[in-house]
Amino acid sequence: MTATLEQRLDAFRRLDDAKLTFARRDWFPGTSGNLSIKIQNDPLQFAVTASGKDKTKLSPEDYLVVDQDSRPVDETALKPSAETLIHAVVYKTFPKAGACFHVHTVWNNLISELYFGQRAFSIQGQELIKGLGIWEENARITVPIVENFADIPTLAAAIEKVITPEVPGVLIRNHGIYTWGGNDFEAKRHLEAFEFLFEYHARWLQLRQAVVSTTTTN
Ligand SMILES: CSCCC(=O)C(=O)COP(=O)(O)O
Ligand SMILES: [Zn+2]
């Protein structure tokens, strides 16, 4: 069965909301980023941003619906995001995922490069970890980091190997983050929590270094 017009319009409207919210935060520099909302599981169909668009703007040609092979469901001149395969991997790996968001920010890029050697970024004891749906005392999270392969099937396969149900995100080295959730509200909350944790940690390293330099030179 294919998605109804009502389902598509609802997904497009939700994508508009998420897109404008993230655009206001400058989370789509240079047309980067892509967003999707799942419409149905069996067979998989999801609405995804069209490739190369200015994501700070709204137009009638912003989204299209694709299938489990990342192919458009309808005849269209629009091209799905170049990274649609990654969204498909998320939905196939986690059938309960209902939305998947990808942004490039300075903070997520810095953390992805700083910790690429360990292939993971870990952080503990931060309140915002609860924003990821993890409520245990003094929780520690580990976000996997993959190489930024130019070949998207290779990148998608690398992501498929490292994503886990415990932590709803993956960093791509010097590229950005993919995060997901049961619906668009949850995926947005996860993205905001990740970005807070990345920025906090990067700023903490800077401040700590500044304090160490001051105390050793005085
Ligand atoms: C100029 S950004 C390079 C491609 C990318 O990483 C991205 O997120 C946007 O690609 P899309 O095809 O979804 O516009
Ligand atoms: Zn990207």
Side-chain angles (χ1 to χ4, degrees):
M1 224 179 56
T2 196
T4 65
L5 180 62
E6 204 170 83
Q7 287 174 312
R8 287 155 197 250
L9 293 179
D10 181 60
F12 293 176
R13 191 189 50 73
R14 289 167 181 275
L15 285 169
D16 274 349
D17 278 356
K19 192 173 68 160
L20 289 183
T21 303
F22 301 153
R24 279 193 289 270
R25 298 173 190 172
D26 291 329
W27 282 0
F28 296 126
T31 76
S32 65
N34 34 76
L35 310 172
S36 72
I37 287 184
K38 191 173 70 185
I39 294 176
Q40 59 180 48
N41 258 336
D42 193 15
L44 178 63
Q45 289 189 359
F46 55 97
V48 66
T49 43
S51 187
K53 299 280 178 177
D54 178 349
K55 284 146 194 129
T56 67
K57 298 201 160 60
L58 298 184
S59 92
E61 307 211 309
D62 285 342
Y63 316 110
L64 64 162
V65 178
V66 297
D67 64 15
Q68 69 273 9
D69 301 316
S70 302
R71 282 196 288 255
V73 164
D74 309 303
E75 279 273 312
T76 174
L78 297 179
K79 281 200 167 43
S81 164
E83 297 170 354
T84 302
L85 264 186
I86 299 170
H87 295 257
V89 158
V90 167
Y91 293 128
K92 286 177 197 172
T93 308
F94 305 116
K96 287 190 178 151
C100 178
F101 297 156
H102 167 58
V103 298
H104 301 202
T105 67
V106 172
W107 299 115
N108 68 37
N109 274 245
L110 285 171
I111 294 291
S112 73
E113 178 61 9
L114 198 55
Y115 292 98
F116 181 69
Q118 284 116 285
R119 302 293 192 276
F121 164 67
S122 295
I123 188 164
Q124 184 169 21
Q126 282 291 325
E127 183 66 10
L128 249 292
I129 290 176
K130 291 178 183 163
L132 301 172
I134 299 164
W135 287 76
E136 80 200 45
E137 186 81 19
N138 201 27
R140 178 182 182 83
I141 59 149
T142 298
V143 187
I145 307 172
V146 298
E147 183 56 279
N148 186 24
F149 298 107
D151 177 64
I152 300 300
T154 306
L155 178 59
I159 287 175
E160 189 173 13
K161 277 197 199 121
V162 298
I163 52 179
T164 68
E166 283 79 38
V167 175
V170 57
L171 281 163
I172 308 172
R173 183 185 190 184
N174 278 331
H175 177 159
I177 187 167
Y178 273 87
T179 185
W180 53 88
N183 53 35
D184 44 318
F185 174 83
E186 203 174 84
K188 174 173 175 279
R189 193 186 70 213
H190 293 167
L191 183 54
E192 290 171 344
F194 278 126
E195 289 299 323
F196 176 96
L197 295 169
F198 298 149
E199 182 172 349
Y200 170 86
H201 186 74
R203 286 181 183 270
W204 163 247
L205 292 179
Q206 280 177 309
L207 267 182
R208 195 178 57 177
Q209 184 56 41
V211 170
V212 169
S213 305
T214 317
T215 49
T216 51
T217 52
N218 287 340

